[in-house]
């Protein structure tokens, strides 16, 4: 029996040091791809998957996240008076109803597993939950988490989003050891967080989308610091397998951008810009000019 997934945890306590000096005063999650913050992409994806309650695990200096999802009545009235219907619709997409978002502070930077554990009191003992990492922005139709929810309805257990990466890059990811490959879905027999070069059990890397059984939260209760001195969510999921509980990976259909890196952020900006009817032609022309100038310089 599987339960409906209606709650999602968003770990948002990171300092965003790779984007300094911008993140000195602006949380990385509010930095925009085209005209939407990174967090908005994750929220929209979660909504499409049926998520109704959103748990933000934050840290000091992230108060702007609360303001962003609040209603801006004055701005809405101004746009309405000016007849700017499209902008008004876009603005209202950022509104969240009272009680839909809960904010939890992570007081110590002890890793992803610890961030998820901080939300434990907002989940029922028998309740599965989703985890979304805003650094991973995924262009997909249907959205990645919706694909996972659909697959989870067939499998139960716990599920992680996976993608194939070159063997030489597996040391940067959590990697699945596969017991059974069923095409889009694989059943895991183990997983390793950031394996040493040449030791990865496969090239199937986990990325920042999870649907987790409530027992994963129980596993986090007993975990100690592991790789990089952090409490690893991967270790808690691996405990599921050691306790004979099912863990699956889903090869999602779509393109993932690592917006935790500057290069990935820029790539995502271009890709999402090219998807926009109002930007595509001008952006294509600019990219063509840049390419021509580089060829001429060579």
């Amino acid at each position: 029996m599987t339960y409906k997934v209606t709650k999602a945890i968003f770990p948002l306590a990171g300092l965003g040091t790779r984007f300094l000096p911008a993140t000195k005063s602006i949380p990385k999650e509010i930095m925009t791809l085209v005209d939407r913050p990174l967090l908005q992409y994750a929220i929209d994806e979660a909504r499409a998957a049926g998520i109704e309650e959103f748990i933000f695990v934050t840290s000091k200096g992230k108060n702007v996240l609360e303001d962003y999802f609040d209603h801006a009545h004055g701005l809405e009235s101004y746009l309405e008076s000016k007849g700017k219907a499209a902008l008004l619709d876009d603005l209202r997409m950022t509104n969240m109803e009272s009680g839909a978002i809960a904010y939890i502070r992570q007081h110590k930077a002890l890793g992803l597993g610890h961030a998820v554990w901080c939300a434990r009191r907002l989940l029922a003992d028998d309740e599965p939950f989703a985890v979304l990492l805003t650094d991973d922005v995924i262009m997909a139709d249907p959205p990645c988490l919706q694909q996972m929810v659909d697959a989870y309805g067939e499998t139960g257990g716990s599920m992680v989003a996976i993608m194939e990466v070159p063997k030489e890059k597996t040391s940067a990811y959590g990697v699945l050891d596969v017991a059974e490959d069923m095409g889009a879905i694989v059943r895991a027999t183990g997983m390793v967080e950031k394996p040493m070069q040449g030791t990865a059990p496969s090239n199937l890397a986990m990325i920042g989308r999870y649907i987790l059984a409530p027992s994963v939260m129980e596993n986090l209760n007993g975990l100690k610091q592991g790789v990089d001195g952090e409490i690893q969510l991967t270790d808690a999921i691996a405990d599921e397998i050691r306790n004979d509980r099912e863990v699956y990976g889903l090869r999602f259909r779509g393109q993932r951008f690592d917006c935790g890196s500057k290069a990935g952020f820029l790539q995502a900006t271009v890709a999402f810009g090219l998807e926009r009817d109002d930007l595509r032609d001008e952006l294509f022309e600019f990219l063509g000019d840049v390419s021509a100038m580089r060829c001429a310089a060579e």
Side-chain angles (χ1 to χ4, degrees):
M1 178 180 179
T2 59
Y3 292 85
K4 186 177 180 182
V5 183
T6 61
K7 293 183 181 179
I9 299 172
F10 297 79
L12 306 171
L15 297 175
T17 54
R18 283 185 285 183
F19 285 86
L20 285 169
T23 47
K24 177 183 178 181
S25 60
I26 302 172
K28 181 180 62 177
E29 299 81 14
I30 288 295
M31 294 179 65
T32 57
L33 295 179
V34 188
D35 54 10
R36 292 185 185 183
L38 290 176
L39 181 54
Q40 184 70 56
Y41 287 92
I43 290 290
D44 291 345
E45 181 181 333
R47 282 170 163 169
I51 298 299
E52 300 169 358
E53 297 182 47
F54 306 79
I55 303 169
F56 289 2
V57 181
T58 68
S59 59
K60 188 175 181 179
K62 304 275 185 166
N63 304 68
V64 68
L65 299 179
E66 297 184 38
D67 293 336
Y68 176 79
F69 288 105
D70 202 352
H71 290 243
H73 298 291
L75 185 54
E76 288 184 18
S77 297
Y78 171 79
L79 293 174
E80 193 167 15
S81 70
K82 296 296 183 180
K84 297 181 181 292
L87 279 177
L88 184 59
D89 288 343
D90 287 343
L91 180 64
R92 285 175 173 163
M93 283 295 294
T94 69
N95 294 344
M96 300 289 279
E97 295 303 320
S98 297
I101 301 179
Y103 298 88
I104 299 292
R105 281 285 178 97
Q106 182 184 19
H107 297 295
K108 295 181 180 180
L110 293 178
L112 177 57
H114 181 259
V116 171
W117 179 80
C118 288
R120 64 198 181 282
R121 292 190 177 92
L122 297 179
L123 300 168
D125 291 341
D126 61 350
E127 188 174 26
F129 58 96
V131 177
L132 294 91
L133 307 187
T134 56
D135 277 357
D136 286 329
V137 177
I138 301 171
M139 183 184 289
D141 185 18
C144 179
L145 189 64
Q146 184 177 338
Q147 295 177 42
M148 294 178 69
V149 166
D150 292 343
Y152 169 78
E154 299 295 326
T155 65
S158 292
M159 179 170 288
V160 298
I162 57 173
M163 67 179 190
E164 296 184 5
V165 300
K167 281 283 189 180
E168 62 271 17
K169 293 186 178 181
T170 52
S171 59
Y173 298 89
V175 179
L176 290 191
D177 191 355
V178 177
E180 183 181 8
D181 193 328
M182 298 167 278
I185 298 173
V186 302
R187 183 169 61 85
T189 190
M191 54 184 60
V192 182
E193 179 66 25
K194 297 181 179 178
M196 293 179 60
Q197 197 72 39
T199 66
S202 76
N203 70 332
L204 294 178
M206 296 183 287
I207 59 108
R209 300 292 184 273
Y210 310 81
I211 296 176
L212 301 176
S215 48
V216 172
M217 193 66 79
E218 296 174 14
N219 299 341
L220 285 170
N221 285 328
L223 283 184
K224 297 180 180 179
Q225 291 169 272
V227 175
D228 297 333
E230 299 181 342
I231 295 174
Q232 299 293 337
L233 182 60
T234 302
D235 292 341
I237 301 172
D239 279 350
E240 291 293 278
I241 299 170
R242 285 189 283 269
N243 290 318
D244 296 322
R245 302 185 185 110
E246 300 289 358
V247 174
Y248 298 91
L250 177 71
R251 290 184 174 101
F252 64 92
R253 303 181 303 279
Q255 185 174 6
R256 173 254 190 179
F257 298 92
D258 177 11
C259 291
S261 72
K262 293 176 184 177
F265 191 94
L266 290 171
Q267 292 162 10
T269 300
V270 172
F272 279 92
L274 291 174
E275 288 291 304
R276 291 272 295 263
D277 292 339
D278 58 331
L279 300 174
R280 183 182 302 114
D281 292 344
E282 190 172 350
L283 188 52
F284 260 131
E285 182 178 354
F286 170 74
L287 292 173
D289 290 345
V290 170
S291 179
M293 285 188 291
R294 288 194 64 178
C295 290
E298 293 174 356

